[in-house]
Amino acid sequence: MSDTNSVSSTDSTGSEWTFSNQYIGTSRPDSFRECKENMRNDTTNVTSADKLSSGGTRREKVTDKSTPAATLESRDIETAIPNDATLNSMTTTKEIIPRRKKLCRNIEIFLGSIILAFVFICIALYILIRKNDRVSALHSSLDLTHVRELPSAMPSTNPPTYNPTSYPSSKPSFVPSTTPTLAPSFVPSTTPTLAHSIFPTISTRPTTSPTVSPTEAPSNHPTDFPTHEPTSSPTDHPTNLPSSSPPNDFYEFFVMGDTPYDDDDAKKLSSNFLDVPNDAPFIYHLGDLNKATDTMCNETAYIKARNILLTANSPVFVTPGDNDWNDCPDPDAAWGHWTRHFMDFDLNWRHSLRVRRMSERKENISFFRDFVLFVGVNLVGGSRVSFQEHRARMNDNLAWTVGEIKSNLRKLTSVVIFGHTKPRGAHDNYFIPLSRIVGKLGIPVLYIHGDGHQYHVIEGAFGTSNMWDVEVDNGGRAPPMKVRVTKWLDKPFEFDRRK
């Protein structure tokens, strides 16, 4: 039942609103105005859409059928004084929305920080990998599929360990080590080594029995008892080089070739060896130890040349020339003479160079000294023994050269290659692939040879800016040439003909 003093209305949401007749009209009591003002203050920060959905102000046409027609008219009334539940809902909504926004911002900041940290870690790892694997990247860029891996025939060149082994090895090494250990072993070796050590060990305690050979330097701790026998006499063949030398910015050696062709060349060669300093690390002979058309490669010519080379104070390395082998009337017999008298020729001297020799071709050698890699290969001019032999030898030479460069790449600064022949088209299978590999590496490489008998220097050889082609004088024209290899990239090689 409707009260005559009230008006009821239903909105679009189905909510029923009841208003007292005393509030219908143009005037309202002060309490209503105060309530309305309070409502407006409470809903200041709520949008107009929130007001409509929460029972806010709306205008609605109401007709009270219980009121006389003369009294009731269609009029606009202001409704919607929100109740306490509505006000609480509005207040809760105002509090939740900012909290959710703040939580979302915090989550976004957290996720962004994680992503940024991950990116920085990836960049740091990338830089570290690129720095440590620079040489590995160079290796992978080389086309070395045709190069065979060669087994190591010499002891490791790694630096000594800082902690000695607790027990001696069961088998002695056959080649002396070039680097001493930093501390003596705690247990003496049960088996003596087969070769003398190049470096003396430095012991902090005196020996319990006298040594057979005297030490090179006096001991800081004398023995408790005198020795029973005096020290032996000094060696008959002192070493040409000290066991160790201070690091230098250059390395020097001597090179010669195409001699002796006759008796005059033999006399000059003997006198030229007297001009080579005694401390020269080595001399490299580039082949042609006789003239095949004159001697017919008789074995006496090889013996004569051998006896002259043995007068040198420094160790001499020899590579074959065409007059020593393939240009002889009987190449097979000539090769037998050469291998019998000049293979492993440097072993006639005591030296500290650690020489590696190719198992398939022992005339191909290599050794590393200071910062330079030296490689000797069997490259001859003249006629071919056979097409198959020539091709196989070129492939072996390339495999040996590239393999040695690859093995020493981390420590070398320059490479010197010894051969006999001047580069010709018959040797393209060696020089063209080698020049491409050297060009990628960017290290200075010197190919030094004889054969032409006339000194010349070609920088940027084989179309590669970091390769040099140098031909030495005939031994009858000039003494052994001194070559200096430096660490300076603008001038890595210097030549002194000493004329």
Side-chain angles (χ1 to χ4, degrees), residues 21-321:
N21 284 338
Q22 62 179 338
Y23 295 119
I24 303 175
T26 58
S27 62
R28 297 187 181 94
D30 292 339
S31 61
F32 180 83
R33 293 176 179 175
E34 292 175 359
C35 183
K36 181 179 179 181
E37 187 68 21
N38 292 336
M39 180 197 70
R40 289 180 177 177
N41 292 336
D42 293 336
T43 60
T44 300
N45 296 325
V46 181
T47 61
S48 58
D50 292 336
K51 293 178 182 180
L52 291 175
S53 62
S54 303
T57 303
R58 72 174 170 271
R59 304 184 66 85
E60 187 176 288
K61 187 176 290 186
V62 179
T63 303
D64 191 355
K65 296 182 180 181
S66 64
T67 305
T71 306
L72 295 176
E73 297 179 356
S74 297
R75 61 174 63 91
D76 293 336
I77 65 174
E78 284 189 350
T79 64
I81 301 176
N83 52 31
D84 293 340
T86 304
L87 290 174
N88 292 335
S89 176
M90 292 166 54
T91 303
T92 303
T93 303
K94 290 165 59 180
E95 293 176 352
I96 291 176
I97 291 175
R99 290 178 182 176
R100 289 180 178 177
K101 291 182 178 179
K102 184 175 181 180
L103 179 60
C104 291
R105 286 196 300 270
N106 292 338
I107 293 175
E108 291 175 355
I109 294 172
F110 178 72
L111 293 177
S113 301
I114 293 177
I115 294 173
L116 187 62
F118 179 75
V119 171
F120 279 123
I121 292 174
C122 291
I123 293 174
L125 290 175
Y126 175 78
I127 294 174
L128 183 62
I129 292 172
R130 291 288 296 176
K131 181 178 179 181
N132 292 340
D133 294 347
R134 181 180 67 86
V135 175
S136 298
L138 288 174
H139 287 171
S140 62
S141 66
L142 303 180
D143 182 15
L144 303 179
T145 55
H146 60 284
V147 178
R148 299 191 302 271
E149 291 291 340
L150 300 174
S152 176
M154 300 295 290
S156 173
T157 57
N158 294 330
T161 58
Y162 290 93
N163 296 320
T165 57
S166 302
Y167 298 95
S169 59
S170 57
K171 296 181 180 180
S173 57
F174 292 92
V175 181
S177 172
T178 58
T179 308
T181 56
L182 300 183
S185 60
F186 298 104
V187 181
S189 174
T190 56
T191 307
T193 56
L194 302 181
H196 294 289
S197 174
I198 298 176
F199 292 88
T201 56
I202 302 175
S203 176
T204 57
R205 292 176 295 180
T207 58
T208 56
S209 60
T211 58
V212 178
S213 302
T215 57
E216 297 182 5
S219 172
N220 295 326
H221 301 279
T223 57
D224 297 330
F225 300 96
T227 58
H228 300 288
E229 297 179 2
T231 56
S232 58
S233 59
T235 58
D236 298 329
H237 302 283
T239 57
N240 295 317
L241 295 175
S243 57
S244 62
S245 58
N248 294 320
D249 291 334
F250 61 88
Y251 187 83
E252 294 179 339
F253 61 94
F254 291 82
V255 63
M256 59 188 298
D258 303 292
T259 190
Y261 280 167
D262 51 33
D263 292 338
D264 291 337
D265 286 353
K267 294 178 181 179
K268 290 181 181 179
L269 181 59
S270 298
S271 62
N272 287 336
F273 279 147
L274 299 176
D275 296 333
V276 176
N278 292 334
D279 60 349
F282 66 89
I283 303 171
Y284 214 108
H285 194 290
L286 300 174
D288 272 9
L289 295 155
N290 70 98
K291 192 172 184 178
T293 56
D294 293 342
T295 65
M296 302 304 289
C297 300
N298 190 285
E299 188 172 6
T300 57
Y302 296 83
I303 297 174
K304 181 178 180 180
R306 178 181 183 274
N307 292 334
I308 296 174
L309 296 183
L310 287 175
T311 62
N313 292 322
S314 301
V316 179
F317 295 88
V318 183
T319 192

Side-chain angles (χ1 to χ4, degrees), residues 367-386:
F367 54 90
F368 185 87
R369 191 70 178 187
D370 289 357
F371 54 91
V372 188
L373 173 66
F374 298 94
V375 180
V377 289
N378 184 350
L379 283 171
V380 296
S383 58
R384 299 179 181 179
V385 175
S386 69

Side-chain angles (χ1 to χ4, degrees), residues 419-435:
H420 172 71
T421 184
K422 64 170 59 178
R424 296 182 174 90
H427 310 100
D428 286 347
N429 290 341
Y430 175 79
F431 288 109
I432 292 179
L434 178 63
S435 63

Side-chain angles (χ1 to χ4, degrees), residues 471-488:
E471 183 175 282
V472 301
D473 288 307
N474 178 303
R477 295 182 178 180
M481 183 174 68
K482 182 170 70 174
V483 181
R484 170 179 287 188
V485 185
T486 72
K487 292 183 178 180
W488 310 312

Side-chain angles (χ1 to χ4, degrees), residues 438-482:
V438 168
K440 291 180 181 180
L441 296 177
I443 56 177
V445 175
L446 167 65
Y447 173 64
I448 189 165
H449 59 90
D451 194 22
H453 303 178
Q454 183 64 45
Y455 172 78
H456 74 246
V457 177
I458 300 176
E459 185 175 349
F462 316 108
T464 305
S465 60
N466 54 313
M467 284 197 73
W468 279 255
D469 173 13
V470 175
E471 183 175 282
V472 301
D473 288 307
N474 178 303
R477 295 182 178 180
M481 183 174 68
K482 182 170 70 174

